[in-house]
């Protein structure tokens, strides 16, 4: 219990913010994507390519369970993690969920050219971002708090989160 869980779309700053927040609060930090890569011994993009998204989601579910069992840590969850009902329930029961948000334009700017996100490695990433955001919005809105990160520095997002807790 008492974990702080950062959720939200790719490119909203969950990892950098989470790391900095954990340091400030003197807590352990768990980045779920890193845990998946460690378990599978390959980068996420290779897991998607070689084993498929469905397999990735199964490993993600295991890693969510493991993280949710910890206490007083900061967790950064991949952008698709809370779409799954069981993942949402496990994370919700383990602490406070904070959703980082950003406009499609900001997300595109922050993710363009990076080959690390298989879902955005498509012909028209802007269209894909808009489609996924629309589909995921109701799930992201289930978070306890939301922060729009479009015009905020990492430091001010961290301070904002600390003021919410
Ligand atoms: C995904 C987001 C990624 C990673 C995977 C799938 C998603 O994490 O888990 O590529 O479905 O939105 P980040 O949000 O940390 O980029």
């Amino acid at each position: 219990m008492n974990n702080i869980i950062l959720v939200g779309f790719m490119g909203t700053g969950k990892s950098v913010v989470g790391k900095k927040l954990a340091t400030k609060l003197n807590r352990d930090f768990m980045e779920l994507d890193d845990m998946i890569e460690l378990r599978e011994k390959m980068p996420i993009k290779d897991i998607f390519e070689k084993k498929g998204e469905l397999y990735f989601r199964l490993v993600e579910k295991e890693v969510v369970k493991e993280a949710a069992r910890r206490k007083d840590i900061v967790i950064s969850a991949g952008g698709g993690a809370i779409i799954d009902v069981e993942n949402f329930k496990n994370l919700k029961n383990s602490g406070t969920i904070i959703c980082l948000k950003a406009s499609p334009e900001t997300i595109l700017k922050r993710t363009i050219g990076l080959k690390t996100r298989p879902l955005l490695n498509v012909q028209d990433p802007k269209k894909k971002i808009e489609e996924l955001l629309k589909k995921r919005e109701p799930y992201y809105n289930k978070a306890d708090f939301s922060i729009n990160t479009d015009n905020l520095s990492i430091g001010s997002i961290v301070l904002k989160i600390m003021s919410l807790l």
Side-chain angles (χ1 to χ4, degrees):
M1 275 300 283
N2 250 341
N3 293 326
I4 302 165
I5 306 113
L6 301 182
V7 303
F9 204 78
M10 295 168 263
T12 50
K14 301 177 299 274
S15 304
V16 261
V17 169
K19 217 172 282 171
K20 192 156 181 171
L21 180 69
T23 308
K24 279 238 174 204
L25 297 174
N26 209 12
R27 289 179 178 224
D28 282 349
F29 175 60
M30 260 177 143
E31 157 69 68
L32 299 193
D33 284 345
D34 287 352
M35 288 170 66
I36 294 170
E37 291 187 337
L38 264 175
R39 266 187 187 223
E40 293 301 305
K41 299 186 182 63
M42 65 176 104
I44 300 234
K45 102 174 172 8
D46 290 358
I47 305 175
F48 269 70
E49 265 170 39
K50 297 196 166 93
K51 304 196 165 178
E53 181 172 353
L54 220 61
Y55 179 82
F56 170 82
R57 297 297 172 197
L58 288 177
V59 184
E60 186 175 54
K61 207 183 258 268
E62 289 309 307
V63 162
V64 164
K65 274 190 211 148
E66 194 182 320
R69 278 196 291 266
R70 296 276 311 269
K71 284 186 180 58
D72 300 319
I73 64 167
V74 176
I75 298 170
S76 165
I82 63 156
I83 310 309
D84 179 88
V85 190
E86 194 186 330
N87 287 347
F88 178 78
K89 206 162 73 191
N90 284 331
L91 291 171
K92 178 75 200 114
N93 287 338
S94 92
T96 306
I97 301 187
I98 295 167
C99 183
L100 301 187
K101 294 194 168 182
S103 68
E105 291 74 23
T106 303
I107 291 168
L108 184 69
K109 240 189 285 170
R110 290 179 186 165
T111 55
I112 202 155
L114 299 174
K115 296 271 177 268
T116 45
R117 273 136 177 151
L119 291 178
L120 301 183
N121 206 0
V122 292
Q123 268 249 308
D124 188 347
K126 174 92 183 297
K127 188 164 157 241
K128 184 75 180 178
I129 290 168
E130 284 166 349
E131 278 170 12
L132 278 176
L133 270 177
K134 197 162 163 215
K135 208 152 80 188
R136 291 178 173 184
E137 201 177 358
Y139 299 95
Y140 291 148
N141 286 344
K142 293 201 285 183
D144 297 297
F145 301 103
S146 289
I147 299 173
N148 187 313
T149 67
D150 276 332
N151 299 306
L152 292 180
S153 66
I154 308 293
S156 32
I157 303 169
V158 168
L159 288 178
K160 209 158 189 161
I161 295 174
M162 288 169 73
S163 75
L164 291 173
L165 299 169

